[in-house]
Amino acid sequence: MQLKEVSARILDQIIQVTKQLEDQEFRQSLSVLSDNTIGKHIRHIIEFYDLMILGINSGEINYDQRSHDRVIEENRLLAIEKMNSLKIEIEKISADSALVLNANYSLNKDEPIKIVTSYYRELQYNIEHAIHHMAIIKIAINNEFSDVKIPEGFGIAYSTIKYEKDKTCAQ
């Protein structure tokens, strides 16, 4: 199934980059990231995938309920372990299922809205969300850690990769 394969590939790419970083590089505040860290971006990706997996069991997803786990954003080995676990959990799911996404865009009140969605739709969302953060991570790595080898296609939307490939083939 494409969505599961792409998620695994994305998580593998993030793991590949994370393995090349030193511990202090993973958690170093970088001005190019508005004083955030690569670890925070990776933790953010992990928590979105994690909440999606939890939602499959409960029937509801709420990405606002992230734990902002400092241990994951500061411990690259734990982040790698968590990404490997996510790949296994994603692979286990064999069929699409209906879900409800809870989201709250009110800054003053707790007024969540409920959006009908599905596991496949949320998996697709997590792919695009991860790619977006990978593009930001790539900017940081290119600016700060030039010895890190970025995998081909890292942080580039699949539609863009396909467009470029089709454009090249047509010439």
Side-chain angles (χ1 to χ4, degrees):
M1 189 274 171
Q2 282 182 7
L3 294 172
K4 292 192 316 188
E5 292 166 7
V6 170
S7 283
R9 194 171 313 125
I10 284 170
L11 291 167
D12 281 336
Q13 287 183 328
I14 300 169
I15 290 167
Q16 185 180 345
V17 165
T18 303
K19 284 181 175 180
Q20 295 178 68
L21 293 168
E22 299 294 329
D23 292 334
Q24 64 90 11
E25 293 171 335
F26 185 75
R27 58 180 172 254
Q28 180 179 333
S29 293
L30 302 171
S31 61
V32 72
L33 295 179
S34 300
D35 294 326
N36 284 300
T37 69
I38 291 171
K40 282 184 181 184
H41 281 273
I42 291 173
R43 184 258 313 145
H44 184 76
I45 293 166
I46 289 169
E47 288 183 343
F48 267 66
Y49 268 107
D50 204 30
L51 286 166
M52 179 195 66
I53 297 293
L54 290 171
I56 291 166
N57 296 323
S58 70
E60 293 193 12
I61 298 174
N62 187 334
Y63 296 118
D64 297 338
Q65 293 180 333
R66 296 183 313 281
S67 62
H68 301 269
D69 189 336
R70 288 189 60 136
V71 177
I72 292 173
E73 71 187 41
E74 293 179 359
N75 184 327
R76 67 185 184 85
L77 297 179
L78 180 61
I80 291 168
E81 183 179 310
K82 187 68 180 161
M83 287 184 278
N84 279 320
S85 295
L86 284 170
K87 289 186 332 185
I88 292 166
E89 291 302 314
I90 291 167
E91 186 54 42
K92 284 182 189 176
I93 299 161
S94 60
D96 199 7
S97 58
L99 295 169
V100 173
L101 173 66
N102 294 304
N104 184 5
Y105 290 97
S106 173
L107 296 177
N108 302 320
K109 300 177 193 162
D110 187 22
E111 295 180 337
I113 58 172
K114 294 187 178 294
I115 303 165
V116 176
T117 186
S118 72
Y119 165 60
Y120 287 169
R121 173 63 187 100
E122 294 308 309
L123 189 55
Q124 187 272 337
Y125 168 76
N126 272 270
I127 289 167
E128 298 301 325
H129 176 256
I131 290 170
H132 164 75
H133 282 276
M134 291 163 70
I136 295 167
I137 291 166
K138 182 164 66 173
I139 292 167
I141 288 172
N142 286 338
N143 277 289
E144 302 289 337
F145 312 117
S146 58
D147 56 320
V148 173
K149 306 277 185 282
I150 304 287
E152 186 176 340
F154 188 93
I156 302 172
Y158 276 73
S159 59
T160 302
I161 294 170
K162 184 174 179 354
Y163 171 78
E164 293 296 328
K165 180 181 171 216
D166 291 348
K167 189 171 80 173
T168 302
C169 290
Q171 293 178 357

